[in-house]
Amino acid sequence: MNNFKKISVTEEARTELHDALNLTGAEVSINTLPAATSVPFVHSHKENEEIYAVLDGEGKAEIDGENVPLKAGDWLRVSPSAKRRFFASDKTVLKYICIQVKENSLQGYTITDAVV
């Protein structure tokens, strides 16, 4: 039995990796919004915070009514209860990764969780 699973991702509007990689502690999605489009809904979560990594392009996140500009290289953490929606700029695609994990669930990281 392998201790890893590898997949390749195609250029789709949204790819969820939970089932594809048999994830057990997080949900990860790769998202692409064409220029001048947005996620078609506002949402929040019950328990999960989201971490966004902007890979390409520009746009904005509307979080609890506040506009947060986004560009390639930006990282953003959003609390579960915050109402959010994402928009690509009129001129560029917005490509980002979203990592969803249960808020306050991290018990160890990097050095404290590594075994050498």
Side-chain angles (χ1 to χ4, degrees):
M1 178 176 185
N2 290 332
N3 287 327
F4 65 91
K5 185 170 183 181
K6 177 188 171 195
I7 65 165
S8 292
V9 176
T10 60
E11 289 294 323
E12 295 184 31
R14 181 174 170 88
T15 302
E16 293 184 2
L17 300 180
H18 180 265
D19 292 337
L21 289 174
N22 300 358
L23 300 177
T24 63
E27 169 63 290
V28 179
S29 63
I30 302 165
N31 304 270
T32 303
L33 290 174
T37 65
S38 68
V39 172
F41 54 87
V42 175
H43 77 285
S44 62
H45 288 278
K46 295 174 186 171
E47 298 182 301
N48 294 339
E49 65 187 9
E50 290 181 321
I51 302 101
Y52 295 90
V54 181
L55 303 175
D56 193 21
E58 295 180 351
K60 70 176 182 178
E62 187 177 281
I63 305 170
D64 288 338
E66 182 176 340
N67 289 323
V68 180
L70 298 172
K71 65 182 182 335
D74 287 348
W75 285 80
L76 174 68
R77 182 235 180 227
V78 182
S79 296
S81 64
K83 297 196 181 322
R84 67 209 74 174
R85 186 173 177 192
F86 288 78
F87 300 80
S89 78
D90 290 339
K91 298 178 182 175
T92 68
V93 67
L94 181 63
K95 186 169 186 175
Y96 59 94
I97 293 174
C98 177
I99 304 164
Q100 189 180 133
V101 295
K102 186 174 181 181
E103 187 177 45
N104 298 313
S105 65
L106 187 63
Q107 295 181 11
Y109 59 95
T110 315
I111 297 301
T112 62
D113 189 54
V115 178
V116 290

